[in-house]
């Protein structure tokens, strides 16, 4: 019976050449795969960046690796040390707080424009607010005048005791004391209302300055 000859083993040099060829094919496929990928992220300034390799400006945030069809193949997380993570988190909190502040400011601006569509409406509300305070101040002056008249009557009663309060009876001394306290209360109340009037004017002045900018922006 005839036997088939056994295949001869390849020389060592041929085997090495074959392995090298396989490695080159693998590297080529990997390079081709990377070339078909797109890296994308939004940097700290809000810019959308794309590249064919990992993006240096987005090392502190997530990046997405997209395929040729735009599907997300991989989400690359940021890599930080502990200190870097703390800094990034602090920065992120600051950014969120700033965004919240800006949103609140925009909300207030919209509310101001709805409440005061023009300066005439704003001026009218200022006048009404100040008129209310003036009414209170007028009532304080009226009460002061009444207390002054009351004090004149007390002075007449004190004449019987030669104007010496120490010689006056207890009821009359208490009457004097109560009159003094009431006058002090009215004086403090008058100071408070005067300061309130200043605060109201300051608030309306600040609002008006802001509203003038908003009205001007609307008219553009």
């Amino acid at each position: 019976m005839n036997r088939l000859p056994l295949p001869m083993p390849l020389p060592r040099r041929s085997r090495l050449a074959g392995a090298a060829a396989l490695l080159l094919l693998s590297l080529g496929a990997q390079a081709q795969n990377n070339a078909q990928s797109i890296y994308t992220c939004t940097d700290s300034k809000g810019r959308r960046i794309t590249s064919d390799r990992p993006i240096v400006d987005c090392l502190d945030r997530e990046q997405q690796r997209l395929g040729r069809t735009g599907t997300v193949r991989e989400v690359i997380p940021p890599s930080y040390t502990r200190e870097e993570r703390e800094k990034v988190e602090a920065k992120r909190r600051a950014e969120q707080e700033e965004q919240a502040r800006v949103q609140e400011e925009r909300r207030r601006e919209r509310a101001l424009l709805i409440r005061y569509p023009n300066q005439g409406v704003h001026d009218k509300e200022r006048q009404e607010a100040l008129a209310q305070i003036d009414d209170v101040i007028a009532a304080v002056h009226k009460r002061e005048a009444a207390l002054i008249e009351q004090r004149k009557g007390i002075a007449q009663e004190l004449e019987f005791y030669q104007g010496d309060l120490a010689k006056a009876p207890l009821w009359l001394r208490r009457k004097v004391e109560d009159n003094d306290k009431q006058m002090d209360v009215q004086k403090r109340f008058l100071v408070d209302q005067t300061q309130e009037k200043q605060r109201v004017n300051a608030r309306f002045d600040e609002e008006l300055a802001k509203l003038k900018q908003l009205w001007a922006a609307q008219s553009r």
Side-chain angles (χ1 to χ4, degrees):
M1 185 175 182
N2 295 330
R3 293 182 180 180
L4 295 174
L6 295 175
M8 295 295 292
L10 293 174
R12 184 170 183 273
R13 181 176 299 177
S14 298
R15 291 199 302 272
L16 290 176
L22 290 174
L23 179 60
L24 288 173
L25 287 173
S26 175
L27 292 175
Q30 184 177 357
Q32 182 179 6
N33 183 58
N34 288 338
Q36 295 172 352
S37 298
I38 298 175
Y39 294 84
T40 180
C41 69
T42 302
D43 70 4
S44 60
K45 297 179 181 179
R47 298 176 302 179
R48 189 72 174 175
I49 302 176
T50 58
S51 177
D52 60 352
R53 65 193 64 191
I55 302 167
V56 176
D57 290 341
C58 290
L59 293 179
D60 63 339
R61 58 196 62 227
E62 288 184 351
Q63 301 185 45
Q64 292 181 341
R65 186 170 69 85
L66 309 179
R68 287 182 300 175
T69 60
T71 57
V72 178
R73 289 187 174 182
E74 181 184 7
V75 176
I76 305 172
S79 299
Y80 307 114
T81 64
R82 181 176 178 180
E83 291 182 356
E84 288 172 340
R85 284 196 302 269
E86 290 175 353
K87 289 180 180 179
V88 169
E89 185 59 30
K91 182 180 178 181
R92 184 172 301 171
R93 285 197 302 267
E95 289 175 349
Q96 291 174 346
E97 291 172 359
E98 177 62 16
Q99 289 175 357
R101 186 196 66 78
V102 171
Q103 291 174 355
E104 176 62 19
E105 180 66 19
R106 297 291 180 268
R107 186 195 65 78
R108 288 184 57 198
E109 290 175 354
R110 289 193 297 269
L112 273 176
L113 285 172
I114 293 172
R115 185 172 182 177
Y116 306 115
N118 54 64
Q119 187 170 347
V121 176
H122 190 260
D123 289 344
K124 182 180 179 182
E125 186 163 321
R126 182 203 292 260
Q127 292 168 3
E128 290 174 352
L130 294 176
Q132 291 178 0
I133 299 174
D134 287 338
D135 288 343
V136 174
I137 292 175
V140 172
H141 287 316
K142 186 176 181 180
R143 176 59 179 160
E144 282 182 333
L147 289 171
I148 290 172
E149 288 299 318
Q150 184 186 59
R151 192 56 179 256
K152 289 178 180 178
I154 294 173
Q156 290 176 354
E157 292 175 337
L158 278 174
E159 288 178 359
F160 183 78
Y161 305 98
Q162 293 80 41
D164 188 351
L165 191 61
K167 296 178 181 180
L170 180 60
W171 64 268
L172 187 55
R173 294 200 299 270
R174 286 180 176 174
K175 200 171 183 179
V176 172
E177 182 180 352
D178 182 67
N179 184 272
D180 288 340
K181 288 181 178 179
Q182 288 297 319
M183 285 296 293
D184 287 340
V185 169
Q186 297 307 310
K187 288 177 181 178
R188 290 197 299 270
F189 197 45
L190 184 60
V191 171
D192 290 342
Q193 292 304 305
T194 302
Q195 292 176 347
E196 177 64 14
K197 195 170 183 178
Q198 293 172 348
R199 284 192 292 269
V200 168
N201 268 319
R203 177 174 67 84
F204 276 93
D205 287 342
E206 182 180 354
E207 283 182 352
L208 184 58
K210 183 65 176 178
L211 281 165
K212 286 181 177 179
Q213 296 176 359
L214 298 176
W215 292 327
Q218 270 190 334
S219 62
R220 291 173 187 170

